[in-house]
Structure formats: structure tokens, C-alpha cells
Amino acid sequence: MDAQMLQEVAERRKALMNMMGHGAMAIVPAAEQLLRNRDTEFRYRQDSDFFYLSGFAEPESVLCLIPGRPEGEYVLFCRPRDREMEIWNGYRAGLAGAVECYGADQAFLVTELDERLPELMAQCDRLYYALGQRPLFDRRVIGWLNTLRSRSRSGARAPVELLMLEHYLHDLRLFKSPEELKRMRRAAAISVKAHERVMRYCRPGMYEYELEAELMHEFLRSGCQAPAYNSIVGGGERGCILHYVENRHQLQEGELVLVDAGAEFECYAADITRTFPVGRRFTGEQRALYEIVLQAQLEAIAGVLPDRHWNDPHDRAVKVITQGLLEVGLLSGTLDGLLEQQAYKPFFMHRTGHWLGMDVHDVGDYRVDQVWRVLEPGMVLTVEPGLYIAADAPVDARWRGIGIRIEDDVLVLRSGHEVLTQGAPKQIADIEALRQEGA
Ligand code: GLY
Ligand code: MN
Ligand code: MN
């Protein structure tokens, strides 16, 4: 971990500990290593909360924060150095590394948790822990609490309050620091290149997985370990399946293909969708619907401003989409009446965006005190309206089987916003130019 990041994770722990105050303890376990089949494991990805507070990527670790503890506020439990295991599976920081390279005040072996955790907990009245997220670890936490209770006759005390850690931690994660934005910009730039690559590469007759392979090529060669989520490559009517990840079908001339894919760079996500013709040009109907979605997206992005409500971009998108559907004859009535009835919903059934950060659907509340949250500088959200005319929709046949989504990642600035994924072409002329180029 570089010095800047080391300092920043220390500041994050400080900010959380300031919220917690003295007499409190937070416990955050690392992600579990999951078996894929027999003795093969899924590629390990650290838990986002754990990584946010530690920058430590190893499994079998537990982070404890105890503000004001004289022997040290930050205690990290981790695996020991082990020559044999390191020959087979790779390097470990060990106890010395946890202190020297990761800034822990104290480090203990993870095998000593059952012995040491109750002792640390006994010094605290309030326990901050995200109960319900990791059932196996929950049982251990309850076990440590019971250990302390059983020792009460000899004067031991157990925490008397349990607080949901995520409520405090996730509000911190919602506001991205310069170091986080550096990584988000990298993830965005790599994802832009990947989308450009498939836009050039696609030909009628190819299979959806061939496009997925091109995305992966760009992600991995740029230093990402994985996509931020399973890539969606849906040709024709499969573009109407919101989370289509099968990616097994052949792409046909005359169809659109919807590609929703983003890279994860050092635990930070990008999330981009582009929709383009499998052949060289959009058909008339595709063009008409694409223009509506693009207009809705641009309007929604224009609404990403500090002091606006979270829902403003969605309301703007819904208005443009309803107006557009009215103009092409897919809806009939008055604009106000159709908005009132939410008549767009059979064709646009999801919301216009979500928070983005370490997790693609990132943490943070969308409402505070029953009202939509106000956008503030440092927040990052996606803007992703779409139109999906199912193959069996009760509309004129020429519209059926068209699925379109356009998605960008937007950072709220003090004076406006920045579209992190601006580089990925989305104007029809630019897309068609790229499609000609590759042919
Ligand atoms: N790729 C998932 C989403 O756009 O929300
Ligand atoms: Mn998204
Ligand atoms: Mn997406």
C-alpha cells in the first residue's frame, strides 16, 4: 500500500472512531474465501468495508477499532507468515507486516481470536458490528458476548449496546476522497476503452461471449483483476432482460446489442452501458427510441447538481421518456395524465441510477428522515435510463424486441458535476462512425 493510501485509511479509521467515541469497539471481519468446486476456490475479493478501513487484502483477518485504548486503538488479527503455505499460495504480511506495512497498532494471530476478543470487548460498553451480514461470524460474536456474560460473577462486563456499524461506516463511504476518485477514474477510463473496443469489434454472426471476451481482455490487460459485476451482452430482444448474463447467443444483422460492463480497479467500480447496432447503422425504430433514451439520459445528468434531491434525475428522465413514447405513438393521452399513471413503467421498469463506489450498487442511504437525500460534492452515482419493448409487448410489431440502456457514472462537484465515463461514445453519429471504421 502506498504512503498516501496508508495515511488515508488511517484517516478513515479516525473518522469512524470519532463517531464511535470512547467506551466503544468496532469489529469488521474480512470476506470469507469461498469454494467454487471441490478444492478450487473463487478468486478472492476482500470485503469492501474491511478494505476501506484497512487496505488489507488477505482473507482470515479481523479488524478491531477501540478508540482511546492505551495499548493501541487499531488491532488487526491475521494469518502468520508461513514458509510452507507461502510457497503454495503466495506471500502473507504476517504480524510484523500488519504493523509495519498496514499501520496496525497491534497484530495478533487470527487463531487467537476466541481467547483475545472477549478480553478486548470487556473494556467496552458499546459494540459496533454489522449483524446479519456474515452468519458464521455472527455466531462467533454472540459466542464472545456469552463468554463475557458467563464471567460476570467474576466481575467481567459485556457491552450493553449493539449498534449497526454499517449505518455509520456507509455514510463515510458515500463521500469519495481524492484517493478513491483516482481509482474510480482509472476504473472508468479502462471501462471506456473496453466499450470502444467492442463497438469496433462487433460483427453480425459473432456470439455475445466473443464481445464479453473483448471486454475482459481490456480489463485484465489494464491491471484489473475482475469486472465489477458480471458483464451483460444482450443482442436483440435479450437487451430487454435487465440482468442478462448468459451471453451465449449469436448476434444478428439488424439487431441492437446492449453491453453493460464495468471494470473494478483496486476495489473501485465503473458501470457503463452502451447500446449499438450489430450491423453498421440503426434502423428507423431503433434510432427513434435511442434518441429518446439519450435525451432522457442527458436531461437526467443535467439534474446531477449539489443541493438537488436524489430523485431529481429520475423525475427528469421519466418526463423525457414519457414525452418521447407519446410522440412515437407507443403511449397515447396527455403528458400529465401519463406521468400521473406512471404509464412508462411497462417500458422503463427500473430506476435511473444508484450510488457507485467500492460496490457497483454502492452503500449509502437514499432517503434521510423520509425524504430523498440531497446530492453533495463527492458522491458518485450512475445515470442509466432505458427503454425495453419486450418481444411480446402489446404494441405495433415494428417496435418489439428493442432494448436500449445508456449508462454513465457521474461525480457531484461543488459547482456541477463530472461525467467520469464521458469518453464512451453515445451520440448516434459517433457510434455509427465507429461501426463503419471497424468493418
Ligand atoms: N450493471 C448493473 C447496473 O447497471 O446497475
Ligand atoms: Mn448501474
Ligand atoms: Mn450497469
Side-chain angles (χ1 to χ4, degrees), residues 216-409:
M216 285 298 277
H217 175 82
E218 200 60 58
F219 293 169
L220 298 189
R221 78 200 284 258
S222 308
C224 297
Q225 290 202 316
Y229 52 93
N230 294 328
S231 302
I232 296 169
V233 182
E237 65 188 68
R238 294 176 301 284
C240 300
I241 304 170
L242 299 178
H243 289 163
Y244 173 78
V245 290
E246 197 185 315
N247 302 351
R248 305 311 297 167
H249 290 86
Q250 198 172 23
L251 298 164
Q252 311 291 344
E253 172 78 50
E255 291 176 343
L256 294 177
V257 56
L258 183 154
V259 179
D260 183 346
E264 179 177 283
F265 184 79
E266 293 182 0
C267 282
Y268 286 86
D271 184 7
I272 303 181
T273 309
R274 289 293 182 265
T275 311
F276 58 88
V278 170
R280 290 182 177 203
R281 295 177 65 85
F282 287 82
T283 66
E285 287 77 15
Q286 292 165 354
R287 185 178 295 267
L289 297 186
Y290 189 93
E291 290 288 12
I292 296 171
V293 178
L294 182 57
Q295 210 44 50
Q297 204 231 12
L298 295 173
E299 270 294 318
I301 290 175
V304 178
L305 297 171
D307 299 328
R308 297 284 181 87
H309 282 102
W310 160 261
N311 213 41
D312 280 8
H314 180 67
D315 288 342
R316 286 165 160 254
V318 157
K319 204 164 174 186
V320 175
I321 279 182
T322 307
Q323 175 73 39
L325 292 173
L326 194 53
E327 281 168 15
V328 299
L330 279 163
L331 291 177
S332 52
T334 64
L335 180 61
D336 287 343
L338 293 169
L339 285 169
E340 175 80 24
Q341 297 157 33
Q342 300 190 321
Y344 58 88
K345 274 207 164 159
F347 307 119
F348 175 37
M349 57 295 280
H350 59 78
R351 296 196 55 85
T352 300
H354 49 81
W355 301 130
L356 183 73
M358 301 184 83
D359 298 309
V360 63
H361 293 171
D362 207 31
V363 296
D365 291 335
Y366 291 95
R367 278 177 185 265
V368 176
D369 297 334
Q370 311 299 324
V371 292
W372 291 115
R373 186 161 204 150
V374 168
L375 298 177
E376 293 177 61
M379 294 173 164
V380 181
L381 58 145
T382 67
V383 179
E384 49 177 309
L387 271 176
Y388 313 93
I389 320 293
D392 59 357
V395 299
D396 194 331
R398 68 198 176 104
W399 299 109
R400 290 187 198 144
I402 299 178
I404 297 165
R405 178 164 63 256
I406 308 172
E407 174 174 27
D408 282 298
D409 305 340

Side-chain angles (χ1 to χ4, degrees), residues 181-182 184-186 188-189 301-302 304-306 356 377-383 408-423 426:
L181 289 172
K182 230 191 260 175
M184 292 194 75
R185 287 200 173 89
R186 274 292 282 281
I301 290 175
V304 178
L305 297 171
L356 183 73
M379 294 173 164
V380 181
L381 58 145
T382 67
V383 179
D408 282 298
D409 305 340
V410 187
L411 163 67
V412 184
L413 298 175
R414 219 173 330 202
S415 57
H417 61 248
E418 175 187 338
V419 181
L420 302 177
T421 47
Q422 185 69 39
K426 62 182 176 186

